[in-house]
Amino acid sequence: MRKSRIGVLTGGGDCAGLNPALKWVVKTAMDESLEWERGTRYEVLGIRDGWKGLVSVDLASPDTEGHISPLNPEIVRTWDRYGGTMLGTSRFSPYDPKNDCSKQLIENIERLGLEAVIAIGGDGTLAIATRLAREGVNVIGIPKTIDKDLPETDYTLGYETALNVIVEEVDRLRTTAGSHKRIFVVETMGREAGWLALEGGEACGAYIILIPEYDFSLDKVNELVMEGRRAGTRYEIIIVAEGAKPEGGTEIVRKEGVDSFGHKALGGIGEVLAHQIEEGTKIETRSVVLSHLQRGGAPCAYDRRMGRYFGIAAIDLIVNKKYGNMVCVHNGSIGYCPLEKIYGRLSVVDPSTQYDSDRYNGRRTILNGEKKSVRAKKSQRKV
Ligand code: F6P
């Protein structure tokens, strides 16, 4: 029987759904009942802390445990119940121009005898996977990110659990907001994509939703608030994406500069906006930053299911030697697409079909009127 070794890693920001995917990668690869049909016995090595683990492992040392752990179905049996990633993760790029260690990484893949590497990640991690594929490494991608900003897939692991966090936290805020007749500005994550804010806001019934794809006018926000108060509302929930900005303004950042993937450290718009609204409306306004709470907690049922399907599909691709692809989902069907097709692109909200710019909220018509979209088109952006 032919033997083959697969490496699997999780890279970038953690989220719910990673552990279910890891579990099903291992269970599917090591399913003994499929060995004869495949003619191959697979072994799976878990790589710790993302790409960093593959660069840091010193194969000459007897102690590689900190970076590489052999996995088996018994070890991963209960992993799908837990949030985060049992393998650890990092925001580490082997192609960082200031410290390019990609040669070392490729050498280690060869020395570990990995026939293929499965990278579970967002745009940064999968951009690295694409570059490795160009250099001849057999890679498969699994999409994950609470931002849901990867193109060529309707879903990225972690997103639905993050939406549930937004809904749960807003439900909690409603009682205190109503008691005090206050406005609450709730800042969500999402980087340059408004999916979390828009669909989280739609799910929790927010009064106003501000997204990065449509610059807002502060006067208009205040007017909408006052209109609500005149109509008798006691409180307002305003969801603002961390990447949203006022007309003619810029995003608010936690610190200047970008990381090795070119990402800005966005954050802080909620507090700034709350002050401005209070000043403009004279209504007591508070802000809450949901921040990493959106990435935490146990995976919801959908993330467990999608983690399972993506994990199984990733192994199917390896069995069929369809390297250089990312597993994906379209209209409920699991499939795959070339990693090259997602490289340097982001999926963002198309405000002309998916946003109501008059009410700063979700669209008010879905099947009627000129904003009718038979199949809501996703807007694509070069990054
Ligand atoms: O990409 C996922 C994400 O949670 C973004 O929404 C957010 O801007 C960023 O990661 C935060 O990164 P960090 O965990 O490094 O603070």
Side-chain angles (χ1 to χ4, degrees):
M1 173 94 53
R2 192 177 85 91
K3 290 204 173 133
S4 173
R5 193 179 269 176
I6 299 167
V8 62
L9 62 85
T10 51
D14 76 326
C15 62
L18 297 173
N19 286 322
L22 288 170
K23 168 173 171 170
W24 286 96
V25 159
V26 175
K27 265 182 79 79
T28 311
M30 300 183 78
D31 187 336
E32 285 175 12
S33 65
L34 295 173
E35 277 179 0
W36 284 108
E37 195 184 308
R38 292 169 175 168
T40 306
R41 174 167 298 164
Y42 289 100
E43 184 187 343
V44 183
L45 296 187
I47 297 150
R48 298 206 169 268
D49 306 326
W51 298 114
K52 195 176 188 175
L54 263 184
V55 171
S56 315
V57 61
D58 175 7
L59 293 164
S61 141
D63 180 25
T64 53
E65 274 284 299
H67 306 294
I68 306 286
S69 307
L71 300 175
N72 65 46
E74 188 44 36
I75 293 174
V76 300
R77 190 173 59 82
T78 61
W79 283 16
D80 51 346
R81 301 170 205 171
Y82 302 102
T85 161
M86 297 293 189
L87 289 182
T89 185
S90 61
R91 291 202 187 278
F92 173 89
S93 172
Y95 290 102
D96 186 344
K98 286 185 226 128
N99 175 30
D100 190 321
C101 40
S102 54
K103 293 266 167 309
Q104 179 69 50
L105 184 139
I106 293 171
E107 233 173 80
N108 283 347
I109 290 175
E110 278 164 15
R111 288 168 68 202
L112 281 165
L114 299 179
E115 181 171 329
V117 177
I118 298 175
I120 311 178
D123 60 335
T125 305
L126 298 184
I128 293 163
T130 313
R131 293 180 69 174
L132 289 171
R134 287 178 193 161
E135 298 198 53
V137 177
N138 296 332
V139 286
I140 298 294
I142 295 183
K144 74 85 216 175
T145 165
I146 65 163
D147 305 340
K148 207 180 67 162
D149 59 358
L150 286 171
E152 303 296 331
T153 183
D154 294 344
Y155 194 67
T156 58
L157 297 178
Y159 180 71
E160 205 64 32
T161 305
L163 286 187
N164 285 336
V165 171
I166 296 173
V167 171
E168 279 164 27
E169 297 307 330
V170 168
D171 278 353
R172 279 195 185 90
L173 284 175
R174 282 182 186 283
T175 52
T176 175
S179 307
H180 290 266
K181 292 180 104 179
R182 283 173 174 156
I183 300 169
F184 266 88
V185 178
V186 180
E187 180 181 313
T188 60
M189 281 185 162
R191 288 218 161 95
E192 291 155 58
W195 298 115
L196 261 186
L198 177 60
E199 295 183 340
E202 286 176 333
C204 73
Y207 183 62
I208 291 176
I209 303 169
L210 303 173
I211 58 173
E213 294 85 347
Y214 194 90
D215 292 353
F216 63 88
S217 137
L218 179 63
D219 288 345
K220 172 109 181 246
V221 169
N222 290 342
E223 261 168 50
L224 287 168
V225 167
M226 295 317 294
E227 189 188 308
R229 290 288 165 134
R230 282 193 297 274
T233 54
R234 276 186 72 82
Y235 71 95
E236 290 76 24
I237 300 290
I238 300 180
I239 302 275
V240 60
E242 62 181 3
K245 56 184 192 314
E247 287 167 351
T250 50
E251 299 126 328
I252 308 284
V253 291
R254 279 181 283 116
K255 59 174 189 243
E256 290 304 323
V258 292
D259 65 13
S260 56
F261 296 99
H263 293 140
K264 291 180 189 169
L266 297 171
I269 179 74
E271 183 61 9
V272 171
L273 188 61
H275 275 118
Q276 292 174 340
I277 293 175
E278 186 166 288
E279 215 172 79
T281 61
K282 309 289 176 242
I283 300 169
E284 230 186 328
T285 307
R286 296 282 194 272
S287 76
V288 168
V289 185
L290 292 183
S291 185
H292 294 80
L293 288 174
Q294 293 159 102
R295 300 221 308 246
C300 67
Y302 193 66
D303 274 317
R304 293 185 202 200
R305 279 176 55 222
M306 293 310 287
R308 177 178 180 139
Y309 303 153
F310 282 171
I312 294 172
I315 296 301
D316 289 345
L317 289 177
I318 290 178
V319 168
N320 292 297
K321 300 200 183 317
K322 291 192 182 317
Y323 303 124
N325 287 303
M326 175 185 85
V327 299
C328 59
V329 59
H330 281 299
N331 298 327
S333 298
I334 307 290
Y336 60 94
C337 73
L339 278 166
E340 284 294 349
K341 275 186 94 172
I342 62 158
Y343 188 80
R345 289 168 61 215
L346 281 185
S347 157
V348 294
V349 174
D350 177 357
S352 72
T353 56
Q354 294 164 319
Y355 186 63
D356 180 351
S357 50
D358 293 333
R359 307 294 306 170
Y360 287 167
N361 212 309
R363 64 208 152 137
R364 281 179 292 167
T365 173
I366 291 176
L367 298 178
N368 302 311
E370 42 166 51
K371 287 186 179 170
K372 174 165 124 180
S373 59
V374 175
R375 185 174 175 277
K377 150 175 130 284
K378 280 196 198 168
S379 167
Q380 311 283 339
R381 177 182 293 169
K382 290 250 178 237
V383 285

